[in-house]
Amino acid sequence: MSELEIPVTWKGKDLSFPARLQQTGYTHRILVDVNGVEVALEPDEEKNYRAILVDPDHPDAKKLDAGLIAAIVEVVESVVR
């Protein structure tokens, strides 16, 4: 697995999230640690990324901001395309 950092500007703050690229067969997913909660970014048929909580029962999972996740996905899509 490849280690990387995803830089995001969110609400006027520069943030960085550690991530790992995981390749399986003909596809891949990016596992991002968002404030202690692991989020998997997987490409769909149109090459857009969808975010999936790896552990939806994590105590902090409900605290994640959907806008922040969307900003992370936007950064990933801008690099991949």
Side-chain angles (χ1 to χ4, degrees):
M1 269 191 268
S2 299
E3 303 284 326
L4 53 131
E5 290 284 326
I6 300 175
V8 176
T9 300
W10 176 246
K11 294 187 177 179
K13 294 182 183 176
D14 291 329
L15 306 171
S16 183
F17 298 96
R20 300 183 323 265
L21 175 64
Q22 185 178 60
Q23 294 184 311
T24 52
Y26 295 103
T27 190
H28 67 279
R29 70 182 186 163
I30 301 168
L31 300 169
V32 185
D33 180 346
V34 182
N35 303 325
V37 180
E38 193 167 51
V39 177
L41 304 180
E42 299 178 348
D44 63 15
E45 296 78 27
E46 288 90 31
K47 307 264 193 254
N48 297 314
Y49 281 81
R50 61 178 161 235
I52 301 164
L53 290 174
V54 173
D55 180 10
D57 295 326
H58 188 284
D60 294 332
K62 294 187 187 320
K63 296 178 186 175
L64 289 179
D65 188 318
L68 175 58
I69 301 299
I72 293 170
V73 169
E74 186 177 315
V75 168
V76 169
E77 288 180 342
S78 72
V79 172
V80 173
R81 293 185 181 181

